[in-house]
Amino acid sequence: MTKTPNDWLDLATKENKGKAPSDWQTDEGIAVKPLYTKADLEAMGHLENLPGFSPFVRGPKATMYTGRPWTIRQYAGFSTAEESNRFYRKALAAGQQGVSVAFDLATHRGYDSDHPRVTGDVGKAGVAIDSVEDMKILFDGIPLKDISVSMTMNGAVIPILASFIVAGEEQGCTRAALSGTIQNDILKEFMVRNTYIYPPEPSMRIVADIIEYTAKEMPKFNSISISGYHMQEAGATLVQELAYTLADGREYVRVAIAKGMDVDAFAGRLSFFFAIGMNFFMEAAKLRAARLLWARIMKDFGASERSQMLRTHCQTSGVSLQEQDPYNNVVRTAFEAMSAVLGGTQSLHTNSFDEAIALPTEFSARIARNTQLILQHETGVTKVVDPLAGSYYVESLTQQLADEAWKLMEEVESIGGMTKAVEDGLPKRRIEEAATRKQAGIDKGDTVIVGVNKYRLETEDDIDILQIDNTAVRKSQIERLERTRKQRDPKACEAALKALENLAESGKGNILEAAVVAARARASVGEISDALEKAFARHKAVPNVVSGVYAEAYGDDPEYNTLVQRLTDFAKNLGEKPRLMVAKLGQDGHDRGAKVIASAFGDIGYEVIAGELFETPAEAAQSAINHKVHVIGASSLAAGHKTLLPELVAELKKRGAENIVVITGGVIPRQDYDYLKERGVAAIFGPGTNVLEAARGVLDLIEGKLSNR
């Protein structure tokens, strides 16, 4: 006799000591049942789909990895072009199949290395590129006609892509032969990552000009990588990442069509970029759902079947990596890589285990790269197309994710499209709320992170980390920049920059085309960016803080309410709430941690001032004095802490404000703690710190400071 789900439920309840198995609620609000059966697959139209055919749920290629495995990439940039070039060449020799460039934050924001705003950012978290000369060194000995190059660049996309094109020409590779991808996804920057330069409208014009130029001149080059990665890293749920990424893509297609382009002339060179976190099956289902929805979107534009194909690069999560017990990160990355492969990615970057602490060492990068080589050669996953096809659970997740994401996309459409939604701030608010909710779950222990809030080691051993001498790198960059400026034809350079500025102001002509002329005349990245800034102005975001999410998550938690009462009593005695300013110093726009802290501390009872992004230490010090704060909390994720935090302490002292307590948090190696404390930083809250513990610690510091007056 055939057994039914009810028979299973009776047996499972009996085995579970009389308690019926219950659904698991994911962060996306999707109820995951403990059992899936054939009945869950009824009325799913995508099940009859085969790989290589629209809507491509089972893969964009008919043979997938049985014909050719995914491309192994390693996203990296180390201080100088020389150091990065050495790493790339070694990695390519060891099995890496393409180059993925990480730029430093000064470059991302369109500043040359000699700009006073970037003293702590040059060569940190990526490679410094100031001109074509740096770009030529970056790819020295790497044949651009044979090697695919991926560049994560959005704000300064025009000068970087122009410099790359000229470097290729001077290496003997025509622009038509260049292959690779430029990220060029500015809408995502306004939502989460914040390495924008110009306001949304002219930024969208830049996107369209790049799509147009590459479609005509660079047929092997992907003009855009529409990125959900940074959304998930900023705290987005998988539904939000999926919905807002595809909504961004739809907006980019619209601006290209509005420029007079035929959809099939450029759609084949659009690519995507997704994060892969620890929800193993849902991440695989997300990639399948993305292909399903993108085919639907492109069909509405009248695109051919080939143009309905979504191709994607994936990167394992950086946020899932932990400072505590860091070798666990090797395991996390391996699971995430397997999930991306089972979801059908076209290329993959695996993060190194030490990236929650510092830039990866060569040792850790080799482990990350070998993770993919083992997947390709030892696990058998490349022998079958879409191994998860037909899974009751995975197919149901695929459909649920598609349905829920489509609802959010329709909401964006009701506002007037993604540009309007970004200007309104809707996606940013939603993602910040999700991030705060997720952190509250971790702090409460509802979400288990092994080695962080459960099974934690009593003592942590230090690991070897990569240290970058920021001062030496900046000095080297400035010297080469000065040589380049002396050796170029000043009149030709000035004329090219003026022509670029005039073209940008007029709204006519192609910005990238004019920038290539300027780069060839050895205009620097900063000079090209400045020419566009004269025409477009520099965008400045208004900081805001989500409220109520942390308080709602904690509800009647005794520990939380005890701390709230303590702050209430303190405020009564002091006559005002304790004031905390959350500061982002330098060009680091990653503000997830800062926003979570601001939101949580505000709910607990602090008065929180959200500092502006991209402040110098002097600006942050003056702002703290103006707001009469008790504490400045500086969030650091980009390795500039050893330069910027001592400068902040010095600026406060210079202004007679030593009474303001300086604390910091974020990606700071334990080896640097003593260095910072010796220079006036009162406390350091590293990755994985419980927010309630941090709030108590900050209050202790304020009380101690006031009692010593």
Side-chain angles (χ1 to χ4, degrees), residues 211-277:
I211 293 173
E212 179 186 54
Y213 182 93
T214 53
K216 292 177 181 177
E217 304 287 340
M218 304 168 71
K220 296 171 66 177
F221 200 83
N222 296 326
S223 57
I224 191 168
S225 174
I226 305 152
S227 174
Y229 181 87
H230 300 98
M231 296 182 199
Q232 187 180 142
E233 292 292 276
T237 67
L238 269 62
V239 168
Q240 290 171 339
E241 179 193 8
L242 182 57
Y244 295 145
T245 303
L246 297 183
D248 282 351
R250 178 157 55 184
E251 194 82 342
Y252 295 135
V253 172
R254 283 179 176 146
V255 299
I257 291 173
K259 202 167 176 63
M261 298 182 67
D262 178 79
V263 65
D264 291 324
F266 65 87
R269 304 315 301 178
L270 303 179
S271 66
F272 287 80
F273 175 27
F274 288 103
I276 303 294

Side-chain angles (χ1 to χ4, degrees), residues 349-427:
H349 164 75
T350 34
N351 285 331
S352 301
F353 73 85
D354 51 357
E355 288 187 61
I357 304 164
L359 289 171
T361 62
E362 286 195 22
F363 169 74
S364 64
R366 180 172 62 85
I367 293 174
R369 184 170 57 251
N370 286 351
T371 299
Q372 294 199 54
L373 291 171
I374 291 166
L375 267 177
Q376 284 192 357
H377 295 286
E378 298 186 28
T379 64
V381 295
T382 62
K383 306 302 183 185
V384 177
V385 178
D386 193 18
L388 293 182
S391 159
Y392 301 146
Y393 177 38
V394 172
E395 297 293 6
S396 297
L397 283 180
T398 299
Q399 191 64 56
Q400 284 179 287
L401 279 165
D403 291 344
E404 292 302 311
W406 191 256
K407 291 176 186 175
L408 288 187
M409 293 175 70
E410 290 296 281
E411 180 183 45
V412 168
E413 287 295 282
S414 70
I415 295 173
M418 203 57 177
T419 304
K420 295 289 186 185
V422 165
E423 290 172 347
D424 175 73
L426 172 68

Side-chain angles (χ1 to χ4, degrees), residues 146-220:
D146 301 322
I147 298 295
S148 170
V149 176
S150 172
M151 294 181 285
T152 300
M153 178 53 65
N154 302 283
V157 63
I158 287 291
I160 286 298
L161 186 51
S163 297
F164 175 70
I165 291 168
V166 175
E169 290 175 356
E170 297 186 7
Q171 195 192 82
C173 179
T174 65
R175 68 190 71 171
L178 291 169
S179 64
T181 304
I182 189 82
Q183 193 161 94
N184 192 28
D185 177 8
I186 201 63
L187 287 173
K188 166 262 302 176
E189 297 297 327
F190 291 112
M191 274 188 265
V192 290
R193 189 161 172 259
N194 300 314
T195 55
Y196 45 70
I197 300 176
Y198 316 109
E201 190 174 331
S203 295
M204 290 297 284
R205 179 186 163 196
I206 287 171
V207 171
D209 279 9
I210 290 171
I211 293 173
E212 179 186 54
Y213 182 93
T214 53
K216 292 177 181 177
E217 304 287 340
M218 304 168 71
K220 296 171 66 177

Side-chain angles (χ1 to χ4, degrees), residues 670-681:
R670 290 182 183 273
Q671 291 94 315
D672 292 349
Y673 283 16
D674 289 343
Y675 177 92
L676 294 176
K677 288 179 178 178
E678 288 166 4
R679 286 157 179 79
V681 177

Side-chain angles (χ1 to χ4, degrees), residues 325 328 448-458 460:
D325 206 357
N328 289 340
V448 174
I449 309 294
V450 174
V452 177
N453 61 4
K454 200 167 186 180
Y455 312 112
R456 187 160 183 170
L457 294 175
E458 289 185 12
E460 295 276 352

